[in-house]
Amino acid sequence: LLVRYPDAMSYYRKAQSKWELLHDTLHADLAHPYGNIGLVYEKMGLFKEARGLQEKALDIRMKTIPNHDFITYGLNNIGLLLIKEGDYETALHYFEKALSSSQINHNYFLNNIGLAYSKMNEHQKASEYFVRAHEIEKETFTSEHPIFADTYYNFAVEYRELGNYEKALQYLERSLNQRKRSPSSIEMGLISYHNEKALLFLLQKDTSKAIYHYKKSLKAAKNLFGQIHPDVSDAYYFLAKVSFEQKDLVSAKYYANKAAEAINGSDEE
């Protein structure tokens, strides 16, 4: 399902203008259009622009409804965008602030703190937070709940980092099976699943299976985002890298060019 981002952007910009006309002074409702426009930028892969708008929305809410749950989730959303930008230490700071201000859903913020530590290669700390989150989830949700998909995926990544590829594959399959219970999240889950599985096969020197899963990841990314998006570019980049390592220079050049097109805005086939 492809979203028409310019149309969505135009709609939210008009909504923003209407909110500003309705509220001639600072009002919590003014944060909504900023947040929505930020979400569109995020879907387009423009994470820095998205973060700027989410920060604007958070600033308005902190001044108007400082004790609301919106503050907690605003902090968390900025943290997730910082993860996508590669600023893991600052993301960790936002996740910790979200956790300290939260009255509910501690497991969600614990998982994100674990994610930040994992990105910083502090896997012992990451595992501790993932386990804490999982304990809360087991007490809160039934075993069929799709929330366990992210937890199992996090465990898969940590087992891979520890060199236990068999255990990593087991948790990766559990993650996918759990995510299938929530059709709304399956496409995004497929991108992560195939990328992680490809990496596991690469580490086990099974290049053909790795390429197969990178191509599956590319297909899922294009189905979700179209031709122009960082996730599409990443999929082409991974294929270029593997092809180059296999000394298939023709394929490597082709995929590298496609990776550049997916970032620079050309969707010519």
Side-chain angles (χ1 to χ4, degrees):
L1 177 63
L2 300 181
V3 179
R4 298 175 65 181
Y5 297 121
D7 290 348
M9 187 73 73
S10 175
Y11 174 84
Y12 288 133
R13 289 290 187 193
K14 289 178 182 177
Q16 179 185 8
S17 298
K18 289 181 180 178
W19 281 116
E20 290 172 348
L21 288 173
L22 285 171
H23 303 293
D24 55 359
T25 59
L26 192 63
H27 191 281
D29 287 345
L30 293 172
H32 293 311
Y34 285 111
N36 289 333
I37 295 169
L39 287 173
V40 177
Y41 275 123
E42 182 180 356
K43 292 292 187 182
M44 295 170 68
L46 301 172
F47 304 128
K48 185 176 181 180
E49 291 82 353
R51 179 165 55 85
L53 288 159
Q54 293 294 354
E55 287 171 346
K56 179 68 174 177
L58 178 63
D59 182 62
I60 292 171
R61 285 166 175 152
M62 290 183 74
K63 291 175 179 176
T64 55
I65 47 172
N67 298 316
H68 199 281
D69 285 344
F70 276 135
I71 303 299
T72 300
Y73 287 101
L75 291 165
N76 183 75
N77 290 341
I78 292 170
L80 290 173
L81 286 166
L82 286 162
I83 288 286
K84 292 178 179 180
E85 293 180 65
D87 189 348
Y88 307 132
E89 289 190 14
T90 309
L92 175 62
H93 171 71
Y94 275 92
F95 293 146
E96 288 174 337
K97 287 181 68 175
L99 178 64
S100 65
S101 67
S102 174
Q103 302 299 317
I104 57 173
N105 294 336
H106 286 176
N107 59 294
Y108 182 57
F109 306 116
L110 289 168
N111 264 325
N112 287 340
I113 291 172
L115 173 63
Y117 276 121
S118 180
K119 293 290 187 180
M120 293 189 288
N121 294 318
E122 296 189 38
H123 299 293
Q124 183 61 43
K125 285 186 178 180
S127 295
E128 290 172 5
Y129 279 97
F130 291 148
V131 169
R132 285 175 61 187
H134 190 44
E135 291 302 317
I136 294 173
E137 289 166 354
K138 288 192 295 185
E139 294 174 0
T140 308
F141 304 100
T142 67
S143 61
E144 306 296 308
H145 200 284
I147 197 170
F148 289 105
D150 288 336
T151 303
Y152 295 147
Y153 178 83
N154 291 336
F155 284 146
V157 172
E158 293 312 303
Y159 275 116
R160 185 250 299 160
E161 289 288 348
L162 294 170
N164 191 337
Y165 304 142
E166 182 179 355
K167 201 78 171 177
L169 281 169
Q170 289 175 7
Y171 272 103
L172 196 57
E173 295 302 327
R174 290 181 70 180
S175 172
L176 180 64
N177 290 334
Q178 201 78 15
R179 200 174 295 281
K180 287 178 179 177
R181 304 177 192 276
S182 178
S184 62
S185 67
I186 186 61
E187 283 290 349
M188 196 66 207
L190 283 174
I191 298 172
S192 300
Y193 167 81
H194 287 297
N195 279 338
E196 183 64 22
K197 198 160 187 179
L199 181 53
L200 283 166
F201 281 124
L202 275 181
L203 291 168
Q204 297 174 84
K205 312 299 183 185
D206 193 336
T207 306
S208 62
K209 286 184 179 179
I211 290 174
Y212 169 81
H213 283 286
Y214 279 139
K215 287 182 176 180
K216 297 285 282 187
S217 174
L218 173 63
K219 181 180 178 180
K222 289 168 73 174
N223 284 343
L224 189 60
F225 299 117
Q227 299 284 347
I228 312 303
H229 193 273
D231 282 358
V232 176
S233 179
D234 285 348
Y236 280 124
Y237 168 77
F238 293 140
L239 285 165
K241 184 178 179 182
V242 175
S243 297
F244 182 80
E245 291 172 353
Q246 292 296 108
K247 303 188 186 307
D248 182 354
L249 301 185
V250 174
S251 294
K253 182 179 179 180
Y254 169 79
Y255 288 128
N257 287 337
K258 296 297 288 185
E261 289 174 6
I263 287 293
N264 296 329
S266 171
D267 62 353
E268 295 178 0
E269 290 296 331

